[in-house]
Amino acid sequence: MKKTQEVLLYLLVLGAPLGAYQYLPYFNVTLSEMALGLLLPLVIVSLPQNKPLLPFELWWPAALIMALALCLPAVPSSVALWPIAFILVFLALRTRESLETCLLLAAIGGGLGAILSISAQLGWVYSTDATVLGLPAAGLYGDARAEAVQFLGLAPLAAILSMKRASALSARIVVGVSAALMLVALALVLFRQLQAEPARIAQSILRLDAGSIAMLALLFWCCSRILAKLLLLQQQERDPLAAPLFVASAAAMAGAVVLLPAPQLSFALLLAMAARACAPFRETRQAPHLALWITPAALLLAINLCIIPLANTRDPRNYEALGERLLSSSHIEKLDQRLNALARHIPEARVRLWQARTALLRGEQEMAADAFTDAAQQPVRLRPSRLPAPDAKDYTALLDRFRDMVSGLPEQQRGISYERALVAAGETSSALASLRFRATDPAQPVDPERAAREIAACLGDRAIAETLLTWPESDLAAIYALTDNCGEGD
Amino acid sequence: MNILQRMKWERRLALAFFFVALLLAALAHIAQGAGG
């Protein structure tokens, strides 16, 4: 059981700094959340043998933060994961060797996270789209501040660990490279993201509610207590782990104080490791080989870069799930902004289909038909798309919505947008049948050839003109009258 | 330094860090407010 706990710990600390890129495809949970969930029963079962060491001065703020997160509606309940992770990691870390391994893995995870963050910010991989301003967003989290705080903590930790002579040379090199990458990612986040998004960092303590302020005060107190413990550990016992952990925790805390990021697991893990270093270890164990843990995490990363299954609804890169959430809370304007930003960077069919859906909700049928046509006629690109391309069911669902929306409109306002969408979806015969059904009002006589050509052009398929020419002239004239506002959007 | 003395120093240091954090938070957020 001890070995399983260690394995889960390593996966947890390695996965946490990867943010949104550690989702287990089709399971809708992250690697670190899964590790935490499995660690919980193991730690509880082993509590009688492993006397709890967590000092009272640390567990009461953690317990209060958890209670506040669960009770206050203003605080996201995901914050409750923070103290749970803190307590679990503290209790599960039993040997000094596993703590050292965890620190190295956290530093390496931070390096991998830095590569992803840099790539996402430069547009090489799909990012989490925190922004609505049209910039490629922060890479790992939906919040650039959370990313800055993570790198602020892990970069100095990795830098100091890479200077430790006691570690193996290969580990020191890997950790040193990770530190350098994290510094680059941090600089990019600070100068590119945070400067570009002044509105997002203008979240001030002064504007928070009393519950959130109390929670922050508890968090700061917990951090302060750990910093004090680390300082005394360094002064009294000259522990080699005290200095890197003190610098890392202090930097992360300073970042958190100034930026007030969204809660993130890697900060809680760093504090748990720092707090554990201050308590005595009673057991010893041989440290495992690092490469063993990096390989599965790297594989998971590779999968996450290529696939974002629709089933992973919590992945911030899954705009389909976000769209459903925003629609259910009637935030259509926010969704529109987000989709426009997305369409500029990822003009894939599913984004355009979503734009068609929001246009329908706004009552802009011509725009909806344009977006639908764009989505339906988009060629299959060689580059892997961000979300799977929409299937026939998605198109049919939108066409049903379209039909419901236009059938509620008066005939003069209806135009032929629905029929355009039908033609784009390849249902030309349905489009023609719908037009013929609607061609009831008598209209001014027109030149049949010209009318057929123009109706066909409006529908987006010139080949239809030949079929239209076989229709009675009165029908053509009535349909021609319906196409009055066709092409106005061009 | 015995355990009681160590605890006392730990509390004092923690309070010092806590107030530094509060000061930093106040300065950062006042500066942010002033900057718009």
Side-chain angles (χ1 to χ4, degrees):
Chain A
M1 200 192 289
K2 283 180 190 171
K3 208 163 185 179
T4 320
Q5 275 193 29
E6 268 185 31
V7 172
L8 292 171
L9 262 179
Y10 298 149
L11 290 177
L12 177 63
V13 290
L14 184 61
L18 303 180
Y21 293 91
Q22 42 149 348
Y23 268 89
L24 298 170
Y26 304 100
F27 285 96
N28 205 20
V29 286
T30 60
L31 179 67
S32 47
E33 284 166 356
M34 185 204 66
L36 261 184
L38 296 175
L39 205 55
L40 181 69
L42 291 181
V43 170
I44 292 174
V45 167
S46 62
L47 267 182
Q49 305 129 32
N50 172 32
K51 281 188 183 169
L53 292 161
L54 185 62
F56 178 72
E57 64 267 22
L58 292 183
W59 80 251
W60 76 258
L64 261 180
I65 290 174
M66 187 156 64
L68 283 174
L70 292 175
C71 298
L72 294 175
V75 181
S77 51
S78 58
V79 176
L81 199 65
W82 189 93
I84 294 173
F86 177 78
I87 295 173
L88 279 182
V89 170
F90 189 99
L91 294 177
L93 273 171
R94 293 180 178 194
T95 64
R96 194 179 170 82
E97 290 73 25
S98 55
L99 173 65
E100 283 172 359
T101 312
C102 278
L103 287 175
L104 283 177
L105 284 173
I108 294 168
L112 288 174
I115 296 175
L116 288 169
S117 171
I118 295 167
S119 310
Q121 289 181 71
L122 297 179
W124 298 336
V125 296
Y126 291 133
S127 72
T128 51
D129 308 305
T131 181
V132 291
L133 302 175
L135 285 163
L140 307 177
Y141 302 98
D143 183 354
R145 295 166 299 166
E147 209 160 316
V149 171
Q150 172 174 307
F151 293 136
L152 265 172
L154 292 180
L157 177 77
I160 303 177
L161 284 179
S162 70
M163 287 181 245
K164 263 183 71 182
R165 292 205 180 139
S167 312
L169 184 66
S170 55
R172 283 175 62 190
I173 292 172
V174 172
V175 172
V177 172
S178 292
L181 286 168
M182 280 190 272
L183 286 175
V184 174
L186 178 66
L188 264 179
V189 171
L190 288 177
F191 292 107
R192 202 159 180 269
Q193 294 295 325
L194 295 183
Q195 278 192 350
E197 295 180 62
R200 288 181 59 82
I201 43 171
Q203 180 197 357
S204 168
I205 282 184
L206 307 168
R207 260 171 272 147
L208 293 178
D209 59 297
S212 305
I213 291 176
M215 211 179 64
L216 277 175
L218 284 168
L219 174 64
F220 293 163
W221 173 249
C222 201
C223 294
S224 307
R225 204 69 206 232
I226 292 168
L227 286 179
K229 280 176 186 293
L230 286 168
L231 198 61
L232 285 174
L233 188 73
Q234 164 70 16
Q235 278 193 338
Q236 302 287 310
E237 293 162 36
R238 302 268 162 213
D239 191 312
L241 288 181
L245 281 169
F246 179 83
V247 176
S249 309
M253 183 182 168
V257 162
V258 174
L259 296 170
L260 293 183
Q264 46 162 327
L265 205 55
S266 56
F267 186 36
L269 299 184
L270 177 66
L271 287 181
M273 290 189 283
R276 187 63 190 91
C278 304
F281 291 99
R282 291 174 190 156
E283 298 171 37
T284 51
R285 194 186 170 87
Q286 195 64 36
H289 205 269
L290 280 178
L292 203 65
W293 310 109
I294 298 167
T295 319
L299 275 174
L300 182 69
L301 251 182
I303 294 171
N304 261 292
L305 285 179
C306 304
I307 321 170
I308 308 170
L310 290 172
N312 281 2
T313 50
R314 290 170 54 236
D315 190 328
R317 295 168 300 159
N318 184 349
Y319 56 82
E320 174 109 356
L322 176 93
E324 295 289 357
R325 275 200 299 276
L326 288 176
L327 273 190
S328 62
S329 54
S330 308
H331 284 115
I332 296 172
E333 203 172 309
K334 204 172 165 186
L335 174 60
D336 250 345
Q337 282 180 326
R338 194 70 175 254
L339 287 172
N340 289 342
L342 264 174
R344 273 197 288 276
H345 300 292
I346 320 158
E348 63 186 24
R350 198 173 277 276
V351 176
R352 296 294 283 152
L353 211 58
W354 264 96
Q355 284 188 308
R357 192 165 161 188
T358 54
L360 280 182
L361 288 170
R362 288 195 313 266
E364 292 171 6
Q365 40 169 333
E366 294 297 332
M367 204 174 268
D370 286 344
F372 185 92
T373 310
D374 217 29
Q377 293 176 346
Q378 207 170 78
V380 178
R381 289 183 304 165
L382 290 175
R383 192 185 166 194
S385 56
R386 177 164 172 169
L387 288 184
D391 54 16
K393 225 168 78 185
D394 296 314
Y395 285 111
T396 315
L398 196 83
L399 280 176
D400 290 345
R401 285 200 176 91
F402 213 142
R403 189 196 53 224
D404 294 345
M405 184 258 175
V406 292
S407 59
L409 292 175
E411 194 61 39
Q412 314 87 281
Q413 287 177 23
R414 198 169 149 176
I416 57 163
S417 52
Y418 173 59
E419 285 78 10
R420 273 174 61 204
L422 278 175
V423 170
E427 296 183 26
T428 311
S429 53
S430 308
L432 292 177
S434 164
L435 281 178
R436 193 121 192 221
F437 178 74
R438 292 172 57 200
T440 47
D441 295 339
Q444 296 277 333
V446 286
D447 172 20
E449 257 188 52
R450 189 171 147 245
R453 262 203 323 272
E454 287 195 15
I455 295 167
C458 275
L459 288 171
D461 183 359
R462 290 183 193 278
I464 296 174
E466 283 176 27
T467 318
L468 290 173
L469 275 173
T470 61
W471 288 10
E473 275 182 34
S474 57
D475 283 6
L476 270 185
I479 295 168
Y480 187 66
L482 295 175
T483 62
D484 265 357
N485 55 357
C486 172
E488 270 182 8
D490 298 338
Chain B
M1 195 189 280
N2 65 29
I3 187 84
L4 285 176
Q5 277 177 318
R6 193 176 166 139
M7 287 294 279
K8 202 164 83 180
W9 269 105
E10 196 184 304
R11 270 197 298 274
R12 283 180 188 167
L13 279 170
L15 269 174
F17 285 129
F18 185 68
F19 284 116
V20 169
L22 283 189
L23 193 70
L24 191 63
L27 284 177
H29 293 274
I30 289 168
Q32 218 172 65

